[in-house]
Amino acid sequence: MSRRLTAFLIHWAATSLSMWAATRVFSGFHVQDGETLLISALVLGLANAIVKPLLILLTLPLTVFTLGLFLLVLNGAVLMLVSEVVHGFVIHGFGTALLASLFISVLSTFLSGLLPGSGSQVKVHWHRGGPGGPPNA
């Protein structure tokens, strides 16, 4: 399997897991079943790759004026858009979409970094004996 396909599948899995977790955290965030969850994660990825850059370009002055905070609103709007497109994926209210999009972004980034083959590994280094020193015997 190619590296790009592997990275895509890992990111899709991380997004799917993050969206599933969001259904447990936010009472206004519902996904009908596992198939709907996978489709929603795929459509969210496509929307983030195609629609979101166009929205960022169109709202650039507002984004600059708010020092980038408007990007959070765009994340929520893209998630709401996906819920309108995918049957069985429901978000009750824009506030839920805003908070859930932030939650999904952070969690999926973290999960993608943990999974092997994603291209963005989280590495943990353990040092014994203090910073930079030799290990204690």
Side-chain angles (χ1 to χ4, degrees):
M1 198 171 348
S2 75
R3 282 187 171 176
R4 285 187 176 177
L5 180 59
T6 302
F8 167 76
L9 291 174
I10 287 171
H11 188 71
W12 185 22
T15 302
S16 298
L17 284 171
S18 299
M19 290 180 75
W20 174 81
T23 65
R24 303 294 182 213
V25 174
F26 301 99
S27 61
F29 192 94
H30 303 285
V31 180
Q32 183 176 343
D33 54 24
E35 182 180 347
T36 304
L37 178 69
L38 292 173
I39 291 170
S40 298
L42 182 63
V43 173
L44 180 60
L46 290 171
N48 280 333
I50 298 168
V51 176
K52 190 174 172 188
L54 294 173
L55 290 175
I56 290 172
L57 186 64
L58 292 172
T59 61
L60 191 59
L62 187 56
T63 302
V64 170
F65 181 71
T66 61
L67 302 176
L69 290 176
F70 191 72
L71 292 175
L72 297 174
V73 174
L74 288 181
N75 282 343
V78 169
L79 192 60
M80 285 292 286
L81 175 68
V82 172
S83 75
E84 293 295 322
V85 171
V86 178
H87 179 71
F89 175 38
V90 179
I91 300 175
H92 298 288
F94 186 73
T96 301
L98 187 69
L99 293 174
S101 69
L102 184 60
F103 177 83
I104 291 167
S105 296
V106 170
L107 187 58
S108 67
T109 300
F110 177 74
L111 290 174
S112 291
L114 288 179
L115 296 171
S118 66
S120 58
Q121 295 288 314
V122 173
K123 295 182 181 180
V124 178
H125 298 280
W126 294 95
H127 295 283
R128 293 177 51 192
N136 291 336

